[in-house]
Amino acid sequence: MRKRISLIQPQSLIETELTNSIEFMQLDEKSIDLLLPEILFITSYPSRECGIATYSQDLLRALNNKFQYSFSLKVCAVESKLSDYSYGNEVKYVFNTSFPKLALRLAKDINDDESIQIVVVQHEFGFFNQHPEIFLKFLSLLEKPIIITFHTVLQSPDETLKLHVKQIVNVASSVVVMTKFSSEVLKRDYQVNIKKVAVIPHGTHLVSQLDRDLLKTKYHLSGRTVLSTFGLLSSGKSIETTLEALPAIVLQNPSILFLIIGKTHPTVVQQEGEVYRQMLKNKITALKLEKHVRFINAFLPTHTLLEYLQLSDIYLFTSKDPNQAVSGTFSYAISCGCPVISTPIPHAIEVLQNNSDLIFDFGNSIQLTEKVNSLLRDNSRRQKISSDGLHRMASTAWENAAIAHAILFEKTSNQQIHLHYRIPDINLEHIRKMTTNFGIIQFAKVNHPDLDTGYTLDDNARALVAFCQHYEITKDSNDLVYISIYFQFIRFCLQPEGYFYNYVSETYHFTAQNTTSNLADSNGRAIWALGYLISIRHLLPVGLLLEAEKTLQDALPSMSKVHSTRAMGFAIKGLYYANLCKSDFEYVPLIEQLSDRLVQMFRHEANHKWEWFESYLTYANSILPESMLCAWLSTHNPIYKNIAKSSFDFLLSKIFTPNSIRVISNKNWLQKDDEKKLHHIGGEQPIDVAYTILALHKFYEVFEEEEYLNKIEVAFNWFLGNNHLKQIIYNPCTGGCYDGLEEHAVNLNQGAESTISYLMARLTVEKLFVTIKKISAISRTEIHLLINYAEQKVITE
């Protein structure tokens, strides 16, 4: 009998023993998948063409992309009549609602399937309206925990409908709806216990926010002002409302082109053919709109659809169903940065609450005309609506929807499911996009480099470290181009007196900010970057290495005068790395000088309750204990080692819980006399998480304590969604990292600091994989799984 498994933390001894096992080397990913707890989705599914089928496919993809070795996802495809759909391997069962007797047999098959731990039902009344009593019987027979996702929640139900919905809810462990409004309706109209309801918004696709004009050129729409709508065509879309509004819109905007994207709904075609589409064509002719309307009669691939939405100047949502609880098309348009004008379905009212003038009455073409013309006259307003929409919908990314669902699965599974985030592939796209021939640009507007903000030594120093890390691991010669750019920027910032300026304008001039800001930390970062560059001397062209060594030598005299805590920490790290390949210990005296200053600071402030260098915890805290550890590695002075260990463990006690990290908020430093650990939510910066991961790796290398290794995983998962908002900080679409985690939202700008910080953390994890892999292609997470496999096999036998 196949034994299900869940992942647990192994003991290092068992891990070492199993590393030498030949048996589990033969266990491929497909075999591992068979051992995982299974979640069965009862839903329509492609190749069936319908909105819920697409939704379910997107959700499964997001879950599989976001998590690994956590669960196995399978589908029970909902059909009706004599369907002939072609499915992928993920479809395990079929639920044909036209044959009620088969439904009861299906319930037995699901109950007998020991691998299935949870059943998730994507509910739409149209799926099960042929035999609603059989559907209820089917649900009541299931012996697995059930999660019901209501895609429609009808207001003011009659008693029959109310009873039907309550019966469905009663057999469910949890209920998912996609808007707060739907949750309120369930509570108000159906008396559903709100504690049973989870609101998980309809997922949306991350996009790279491509240039609208370039996309118009690509699709031969240059010079046109584009209105669009999309979805499987039916009379419920009320496309005629827009057609009736168009003549008055065209009078003021002669370049208007209205795109009607999507084929006719297959069910509509079966029932009435193309009657509705033909009616629209006749109306277009009657209104003489042939030059201003274009049908795209296809079920477009997702990437093509998203590009059409990004090139649209305004998206029009004209549904005439006041009970439509949610719309994926509406969500996709806003998440693509497209201003939307909509009829007042609850979803639109909820999302557009701060732009209520974008709502028009059902079927009211006169109102629609006024709103379109008004918005087209106001370009700045459209830009603001676009920006507001992106921020409003950021939390609905499919990655975040996957996290919310996975947390619900974990809760529902009775400890059968344990979540393990899938580590994304290394992606340098956004950093390369941010880099000019001169250096890396400081800030970005969402994912577009903002050249007006200029450059900083800070960012280019960090970028140099990151690309040196990448070059060490990959030996990709293309990295040398970027290493050279960032190094030359550092040289550019070095002043004749031996110290560095930090701020450089977009025209390559030093700004006045250099004379009004404390540049000590920036100088320390430059030393860190130069030292790290020199540490990979065996990989560098001779000329570059000699230039780096000379630059470091020119800068060192001024560093001996520095007393800023973190500046000294950065400099110690840089000198440690520069000294790694030297036999004459050239940099040791300066390491000792700076480290002794930190020792004195520690002794002045520390006591048995506060083992730290200052009377507060602020930013880049991990740099200090890590630098003391580097000092010990360079000098073998046990004082440095002891202070490194005690201060780092103290810091970790303030920022870690067993399953999460919350670094010190930039809104409120943690003071020595504050007994609370952390009391301000938000203001968490990617750079602080990254520095913590770098320090944890160094401490794990030295002390080999399993707890440091565990904390690296916990800290890195902060980027992937294990934070207080349960939202991604790293954007896998762009390769950028969001600038900060606030109390209620994520800062969507993807500037240099945050993106480089993520990359340093990701490369540190990659380096860790190399360190702890005992056999080829077996990662630590796989070892966790295989340990369970071995343990369960022993138990079974």
Side-chain angles (χ1 to χ4, degrees), residues 320-338:
K320 60 184 180 183
D321 180 6
N323 291 314
Q324 184 170 352
V326 68
S327 167
T329 66
F330 174 89
S331 297
Y332 284 12
I334 294 182
S335 69
C336 285
C338 188

Side-chain angles (χ1 to χ4, degrees), residues 251-538:
L251 280 176
Q252 294 189 25
N253 303 275
S255 64
I256 279 289
L257 179 66
F258 176 41
L259 300 179
I260 305 172
I261 304 169
K263 62 191 297 185
T264 303
H265 198 294
T267 303
V268 173
V269 173
Q270 289 178 359
Q271 294 174 351
E272 60 184 49
E274 293 285 3
V275 172
Y276 182 65
R277 185 180 296 270
Q278 188 57 51
M279 182 275 288
L280 296 177
K281 289 181 177 180
N282 294 340
K283 187 175 284 289
I284 291 167
T285 301
L287 295 173
K288 299 180 180 180
L289 293 170
E290 292 90 343
K291 295 181 180 180
H292 299 282
V293 181
R294 184 180 301 175
F295 286 97
I296 301 175
N297 189 4
F299 193 82
L300 294 179
T302 299
H303 74 276
T304 304
L305 172 62
L306 296 176
E307 288 189 342
Y308 270 111
L309 292 175
Q310 289 179 80
L311 67 78
S312 298
D313 294 281
I314 299 176
Y315 182 83
L316 303 177
F317 182 81
T318 56
S319 168
K320 60 184 180 183
D321 180 6
N323 291 314
Q324 184 170 352
V326 68
S327 167
T329 66
F330 174 89
S331 297
Y332 284 12
I334 294 182
S335 69
C336 285
C338 188
V340 175
I341 296 175
S342 174
T343 48
I345 67 166
H347 188 194
I349 293 172
E350 192 169 296
V351 173
L352 299 177
Q353 55 185 308
N354 295 325
N355 291 290
S356 58
D357 60 322
L358 300 178
I359 302 287
F360 71 100
D361 293 334
F362 295 104
N364 194 322
S365 58
I366 295 175
Q367 286 184 5
L368 179 57
T369 298
E370 294 170 350
K371 293 181 183 299
V372 170
N373 283 335
S374 174
L375 198 53
L376 288 176
R377 286 193 297 267
D378 195 340
N379 185 55
S380 61
R381 172 99 195 280
R382 291 203 309 279
Q383 290 179 347
K384 186 177 187 307
I385 291 171
S386 175
S387 176
D388 290 347
L390 288 175
H391 286 82
R392 175 82 179 174
M393 300 302 287
S395 62
T396 70
W398 275 116
E399 288 76 5
N400 293 330
I403 293 167
H405 278 90
I407 291 171
L408 182 60
F409 299 157
E410 187 177 43
K411 176 183 174 183
T412 306
S413 71
N414 193 25
Q415 299 185 335
Q416 292 299 307
I417 291 175
H418 303 279
L419 301 180
H420 294 264
Y421 287 82
R422 183 183 296 275
I423 296 177
D425 293 338
I426 296 168
N427 183 351
L428 304 180
E429 179 183 350
H430 188 58
I431 287 185
R432 288 172 173 160
K433 182 179 177 181
M434 292 283 289
T435 301
T436 69
N437 291 332
F438 182 65
I440 190 163
I441 297 165
Q442 184 175 191
F443 293 127
K445 293 178 179 178
V446 188
N447 66 311
H448 294 291
D450 187 359
L451 185 56
D452 291 343
T453 63
Y455 307 82
T456 67
L457 173 65
D458 290 336
D459 291 331
N460 281 273
R462 284 186 286 258
L464 179 57
V465 172
F467 266 80
C468 287
Q469 287 179 286
H470 190 263
Y471 189 41
E472 279 185 284
I473 294 168
T474 66
K475 309 299 188 294
D476 183 350
S477 60
N478 293 316
D479 289 345
L480 288 172
V481 175
Y482 292 89
I483 287 172
S484 179
I485 288 172
Y486 305 136
F487 167 66
Q488 293 301 332
F489 185 93
I490 292 174
R491 285 190 67 200
F492 176 84
C493 291
L494 181 62
Q495 303 304 296
E497 297 82 2
Y499 59 84
F500 295 91
Y501 275 166
N502 186 37
Y503 302 100
V504 182
S505 72
E506 72 276 15
T507 57
Y508 314 148
H509 294 93
F510 293 114
T511 70
Q513 196 171 355
N514 289 295
T515 60
T516 59
S517 301
N518 186 335
L519 302 181
D521 285 6
S522 302
N523 278 257
R525 289 187 191 94
I527 300 301
W528 171 36
L530 291 169
Y532 202 99
L533 176 62
I534 293 167
S535 75
I536 62 167
R537 60 192 305 127
H538 60 291

Side-chain angles (χ1 to χ4, degrees), residues 33 42 94 191 585 694 701 747 770 774:
D33 192 58
I42 299 179
V94 172
Q191 292 78 55
F585 306 105
L694 266 64
E701 283 185 326
N747 182 340
V770 174
K774 310 296 184 182

Side-chain angles (χ1 to χ4, degrees), residues 204-210 302-303 306-307 310 332 335-337 390 446-447 731 733-734 738 750:
T204 56
H205 295 279
L206 293 172
V207 297
S208 296
Q209 300 302 323
L210 302 174
T302 299
H303 74 276
L306 296 176
E307 288 189 342
Q310 289 179 80
Y332 284 12
S335 69
C336 285
L390 288 175
V446 188
N447 66 311
N731 184 322
C733 175
T734 65
Y738 297 138
Q750 297 159 53

Side-chain angles (χ1 to χ4, degrees), residues 63-107:
L63 285 162
N64 282 323
N65 288 338
K66 197 67 197 164
F67 298 95
Q68 62 178 354
Y69 309 130
S70 303
F71 38 64
S72 175
L73 306 178
K74 296 297 179 182
V75 173
C76 173
V78 176
E79 300 179 348
S80 62
K81 301 181 180 177
L82 298 176
S83 304
D84 186 24
Y85 299 116
S86 175
Y87 298 119
N89 293 332
E90 63 270 35
V91 174
K92 188 175 187 179
Y93 298 104
V94 172
F95 186 165
N96 194 312
T97 58
S98 298
F99 300 96
K101 290 184 179 179
L102 296 180
L104 306 184
R105 187 185 305 169
L106 174 62

Side-chain angles (χ1 to χ4, degrees), residues 580-618:
L580 284 177
C581 298
K582 286 185 170 288
S583 58
D584 56 2
F585 306 105
E586 176 182 358
Y587 303 116
V588 168
L590 184 52
I591 290 174
E592 289 178 327
Q593 181 183 359
L594 297 175
S595 300
D596 287 344
R597 290 175 188 169
L598 288 177
V599 169
Q600 291 304 313
M601 295 178 71
F602 182 84
R603 286 174 172 170
H604 181 266
E605 291 293 344
N607 57 45
H608 70 285
K609 290 184 178 180
W610 186 266
E611 299 182 82
W612 196 244
F613 306 84
E614 301 160 313
S615 62
Y616 41 75
L617 292 172
T618 58

